Structure formats: C-alpha cells, structure tokens
C-alpha cells in the first residue's frame, strides 16, 4: 500500500497515525528498496520520540535501571521492563556461577549441540530440569524460540495437523506454518472449544498426526488455559499435547511448577517447551518429554538444535544455579513476594479504573487500546521515572495496545503504587493530547 510522505509540518501526525500493519505487505520487485517507506515512517517516530521498542539497558536490570531509547536518549527510572521474574539476574550466587563457568570452560560452547557443543554445565542443567518437570528426557536449544519452533518442525510433517490457541507465541505460530498448512485455531484459552476441535480434526483425518499447542501463561494477557480438557481430548483422539511454559515455570505454582503443577498435570503432558530467559535469568530453551525417541528425533530433524551453536557454558551454569534457588525454600518465599507485588499493583491500577488482563503473576498487562495513545504515553511514563514496555502490533492485535509491567519480588509497595500511578497518569495525559490534536486537524 502506498502511503504519501508528509511535509515537515505534518510529520508528527504521520508518525502517530499509522500502524505497523500498514507496512507489512509491501509490493514490488525490489526487496530492499520497498523497505524504505517503512524506514521513513520509523524515522519520523524516532524524531518525535515515539518509538516504544528497541530500548536497551545501560546498566544491570535491577529494581531501578537506565534505559537508552532507540534515538539515543537516556532515561533512568523504576524498572518494570525486565523479564527477571524472581529477580535472580543480580543475585551474587547466580553471577558467581556464570563467572566460574567462564573460568572453567571458556566463553563459548564451540559448536552445535550435535557436534561437541554440549558442556558439563549443560548436561547438569538437563538433569536438573528433567527432575524439575518430571520428564526424563530434556533437549537444550540455544534460544527459547528455537525450542518451540524446532520442536514443531521436527515432529510435524505436511500431512499432519496442528491445533493451537489463536494467541500462541510467534515461535509456535511460525513453526506450525513452516511444518504444515493444516493449522486449526481455537479461541484464546477456550479449552472446551479446543477439545472439540481436536475431535473434529481427528474425525476427518484418522491417519494423520495431530499436535495440540498452548501455553501455561500467555505473556501479553497474563492468563492461562485449563489444560485438563486438552489433555483428555488428546488421550481420547490420539493427539499430542505441547505446552509452552516460558512465563510460568519457576514463578508460579507449588515448588515453581507453573500451571502444569497448579493443575495437577506434572508428568502427564507429552511435550513441555520453554526458555531460561525469564525466571532463570539466562538464555536458551528446552524440550522435555518422557520419550527418548522424541529427543533423538528432534535433535536431528528440529533444525534449530543441529544447525545452531549450543548454549554457552556460562548460560547453562547461570540457569542451573537459578533453577536450584527456584526449587528451594527461598524460591517459595520469592514467589510469595512476587504474588504480593502482583496483587498490590493490580489493586493500584483498579483504583484508577484500569482493570488489568489475566491473573496475578509476574506479568501485569494494562489495557490502552489506541496505538497513538500508547506511543505518547510510553514517552511520558519514562520521562516521569518508570521503565515499562508499551506493546502494539504485531505483538498484539491492532487497536489492542497495552502496557506490560514485569514484576520482581523486590518491588516494594511504594514502588508498585508509584508505577501504577505514573502509568495511569501517562495514559490519561496521552488521551488528552490525542483528543486535542484531533480537534486541531482540519
């Protein structure tokens, strides 16, 4: 779609009014040249300080931190933008585990997991995780994305079918599309509809494989499905259930067992995939199952295991130390504090008339709606001393932008109330600005 470039006087409106979705399907033979119109729009957003993405931490992501905006400006504030759900990335024991691993094993795994890329810390991490999730066989991937994508493309073939929650993570969606055109979606967290869909797909395809895909906790909505109806339908119709636990394992449930543990299904889910990049303050991902055959097969046919360099030893050592803390009595106390933080900040938002999505957990999703409001509010909230992520398309649907706060146990009631107050004030002020600017337009 061709969009005319604005004059300088109209550039702010140009930066605010359009949406990423409008640039998603460029046309023409020049793959490089046709990216220029989007770049012009992105630069207009940068010049008017309206880019809520591509920010970076300039120091450790503690309870306060310094953020560098995409245009280079530095802002310091209360940190609600880091996915460090139990606050372990700055724990001295976790730091020391990484330092020891670098001293003992070097900085690099040196190869693909298929070709000498495994290390002693990674083998120990596999064993600890297998015990944690009650699945005997664990495969480590260099990223969480690689784990989800690689598992799906490793197991699913073109004649097979994928039944999935329609808000499943992009790695899962893209993995499904890469594997088969037979993709069936059910409404978000509607497990009854999902179970019914599994039966219908099986009735029409008696000889095909069926992979059912959902998540323990969804990162943009902070909500969780009922897993039992999906598990039961999979058993009844010879389908395979896969649950992505990236955002709930470690930070929710008894012993940190996440939604699978909360719902009493530990050891009873076919495939568990996840990442170490949230609660376990590292990078890398995993597939856990009770099948040695699945482990062997996915390591060869998943692609993202065989054709990517394996996790560095320090990454594995950090995740391992964090996991040991997560599973300890201290981990239970941290989860209790995290729940206290979640209830406190959600109540503070409710007092301002903002009902957060989902359920109390490390993720607090605050609805905004209009992307224009979210872009302006994103700058205001940072200027007023709170680092928080504003989310818009393609991470969420058009017209459903939101702020996503990510909590840590160390956030005090004062910090939480301040964050909620400033965020609510920024949304309110941004709406006033948008309404005023709309009234001025001819």
């Amino acid at each position: 779609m061709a969009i005319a470039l604005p004059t300088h006087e109209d550039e702010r409106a140009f930066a605010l009014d359009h949406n990423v979705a409008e640039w998603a399907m460029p046309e023409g033979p020049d793959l490089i040249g046709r990216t220029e119109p989007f770049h012009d729009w992105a630069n207009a957003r940068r010049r008017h300080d309206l880019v809520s993405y591509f920010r970076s931490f300039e120091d450790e992501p503690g309870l306060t931190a310094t953020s560098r905006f995409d245009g280079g400006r530095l802002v310091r504030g209360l940190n609600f933008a880091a996915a460090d759900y139990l606050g372990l990335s700055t724990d001295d024991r976790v730091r020391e585990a990484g330092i020891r691993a670098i001293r003992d094993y070097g900085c690099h795994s040196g190869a693909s997991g298929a070709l000498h890329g495994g290390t002693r810390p990674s083998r120990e991490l596999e064993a600890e995780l297998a015990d944690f999730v009650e699945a005997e066989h664990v495969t480590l991937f260099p990223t969480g994305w690689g784990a989800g994508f690689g598992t799906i493309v490793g197991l699913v073939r073109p004649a097979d079918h994928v039944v999935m929650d329609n808000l499943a993570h992009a790695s899962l969606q893209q993995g499904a599309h890469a594997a088969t055109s037979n993709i069936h979606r059910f409404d978000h967290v509607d497990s009854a509809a999902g179970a019914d869909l599994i039966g219908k797909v099986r009735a029409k395809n008696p000889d095909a494989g069926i992979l059912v895909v959902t998540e323990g906790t969804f990162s943009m909505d902070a909500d969780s499905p009922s897993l039992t109806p999906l598990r039961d339908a999979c058993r009844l119709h010879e389908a395979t259930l896969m649950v992505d636990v990236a955002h709930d394992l470690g930070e929710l449930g008894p012993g940190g067992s996440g939604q699978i543990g909360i719902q009493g299904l530990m050891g009873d889910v076919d495939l568990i995939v996840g990442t170490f990049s949230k609660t376990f303050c590292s990078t890398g991902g995993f597939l856990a199952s009770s099948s040695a055959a699945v482990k062997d097969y996915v390591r060869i046919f998943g692609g993202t295991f065989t054709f990517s360099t394996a996790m560095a030893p320090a990454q594995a050592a950090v995740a391992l130390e964090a996991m040991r803390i997560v599973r300890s009595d201290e981990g239970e106390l941290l989860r209790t504090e995290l729940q206290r933080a979640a209830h406190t900040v959600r109540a503070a938002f409710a007092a301002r008339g903002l009902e957060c999505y989902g359920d109390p957990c490390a993720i607090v999703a605050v609805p905004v709606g209009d992307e224009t409001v979210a872009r302006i509010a994103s700058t205001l909230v940072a200027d007023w001393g709170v680092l928080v992520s504003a989310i818009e398309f393609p991470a969420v649907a058009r017209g459903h932008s939101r702020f996503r706060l990510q909590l840590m146990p160390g956030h005090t009631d004062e910090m939480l109330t301040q964050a909620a107050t400033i965020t609510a004030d920024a949304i309110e002020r941004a709406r006033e600005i948008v309404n005023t600017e709309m009234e001025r337009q001819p």
Side-chain angles (χ1 to χ4, degrees):
M1 178 177 65
I3 299 175
L5 292 178
T7 63
H8 177 74
E9 291 76 13
D10 296 330
E11 188 178 67
R12 178 176 166 84
F14 173 65
L16 284 169
D17 290 346
H18 295 284
N19 188 287
V20 172
E22 297 174 48
W23 317 94
M25 300 296 289
E27 298 178 351
D30 184 354
L31 289 176
I32 296 175
R34 72 191 196 186
T35 67
E36 290 293 339
F38 174 78
H39 181 59
D40 291 334
W41 178 64
N43 276 337
R45 290 182 65 176
R46 289 186 182 96
R47 283 190 288 272
H48 291 273
D49 211 4
L50 293 169
V51 179
S52 52
Y53 293 152
F54 314 124
R55 298 175 183 178
S56 59
F57 288 118
E58 291 291 298
D59 48 14
E60 68 176 32
L63 297 175
T64 59
T66 303
S67 173
R68 182 180 294 275
F69 279 31
D70 187 37
R73 186 163 68 93
L74 294 176
V75 176
R76 185 161 183 83
L78 297 174
N79 179 20
F80 289 88
D84 183 13
Y85 296 161
L86 293 188
L88 294 176
S89 70
T90 55
D91 185 282
D92 286 341
R93 294 162 295 181
V94 175
R95 291 187 208 255
E96 185 57 34
I99 292 168
R100 283 196 309 270
I102 290 174
R103 288 176 180 153
D104 293 345
Y105 306 104
C107 296
H108 187 210
S109 65
S112 155
L115 300 171
H116 276 89
T119 63
R120 181 173 179 178
S122 67
R123 292 195 303 273
E124 292 176 353
L125 178 59
E126 286 180 351
E128 183 80 21
L129 181 58
D131 185 65
F132 187 18
V133 300
E134 298 181 23
E136 186 178 353
H137 301 283
V138 170
T139 301
L140 301 183
F141 291 79
T143 64
W145 177 286
F149 184 96
T151 297
I152 294 175
V153 300
L155 293 176
V156 175
R157 295 294 172 265
D160 296 328
H161 292 254
V162 175
V163 176
M164 65 194 316
D165 188 293
N166 67 357
L167 294 186
H169 189 266
S171 63
L172 309 175
Q173 300 271 3
Q174 292 189 23
H177 279 287
T180 180
S181 62
N182 302 318
I183 300 170
H184 315 266
R185 293 180 175 84
F186 55 90
D187 288 344
H188 181 51
V189 298
D190 188 344
S191 295
D196 183 61
L197 185 56
I198 295 165
K200 290 178 178 177
V201 172
R202 174 54 75 207
K204 293 181 179 179
N205 305 277
D207 299 319
I210 300 175
L211 179 67
V212 179
V213 180
T214 189
E215 301 183 30
T217 293
F218 287 81
S219 67
M220 295 300 167
D221 296 87
D223 55 0
S224 301
S226 175
L227 298 173
T228 299
L230 297 176
R231 188 278 313 271
D232 290 347
C234 285
R235 297 291 180 269
L236 180 62
H237 299 293
E238 294 184 286
T240 299
L241 178 61
M242 173 173 156
V243 179
D244 184 337
V245 297
H247 295 278
D248 57 303
L249 186 68
E251 70 106 342
L252 288 175
S257 56
Q259 283 294 335
I260 293 176
I262 290 171
Q263 299 184 38
L265 296 178
M266 195 61 79
D268 201 23
V269 170
D270 300 310
L271 305 172
I272 301 173
V273 296
T275 181
F276 302 113
S277 61
K278 315 301 177 187
T279 303
F280 306 103
C281 56
S282 185
T283 56
F286 63 86
L287 162 66
S289 78
S290 296
S291 170
V294 162
K295 178 173 183 174
D296 259 354
Y297 200 83
V298 169
R299 286 193 298 183
I300 293 298
F301 293 101
T304 50
F305 177 88
T306 296
F307 299 104
S308 295
T309 299
M311 290 177 70
Q315 294 170 326
V318 163
L320 177 61
E321 183 63 26
M323 190 171 295
R324 288 169 174 164
I325 296 171
V326 163
R327 301 185 69 189
S328 69
D329 291 342
E330 180 182 351
E332 209 64 57
L333 292 174
L334 291 171
R335 281 185 289 278
T336 298
E337 281 299 292
L338 185 63
Q339 280 290 302
R340 181 267 314 163
H343 284 281
T344 297
V345 76
R346 290 170 71 93
F349 276 115
R352 293 294 301 270
L354 293 170
E355 294 295 331
C356 302
Y357 294 125
D359 304 307
C361 64
I363 302 162
V364 181
V366 184
V368 177
D370 185 349
E371 288 86 355
T372 303
V373 173
R375 290 171 200 158
I376 295 172
S378 177
T379 298
L380 293 175
V381 76
D383 286 343
W384 295 346
V386 176
L387 306 181
V388 60
S389 298
I391 310 295
E392 59 178 288
F393 181 90
V396 295
R398 295 181 66 175
H400 291 270
S401 68
R402 64 204 62 183
F403 278 105
R404 185 177 69 176
L405 287 75
Q406 296 178 117
L407 308 181
M408 290 183 271
H411 283 130
T412 65
D413 288 355
E414 181 181 2
M415 290 175 174
L416 295 158
T417 301
Q418 184 178 351
T421 299
I422 288 175
T423 303
D425 286 346
I427 295 170
E428 184 176 304
R429 177 59 183 145
R431 288 198 173 112
E432 292 172 355
I433 292 171
V434 169
N435 289 336
T436 299
E437 292 190 3
M438 288 179 62
E439 290 171 1
R440 290 175 179 169
Q441 292 180 7

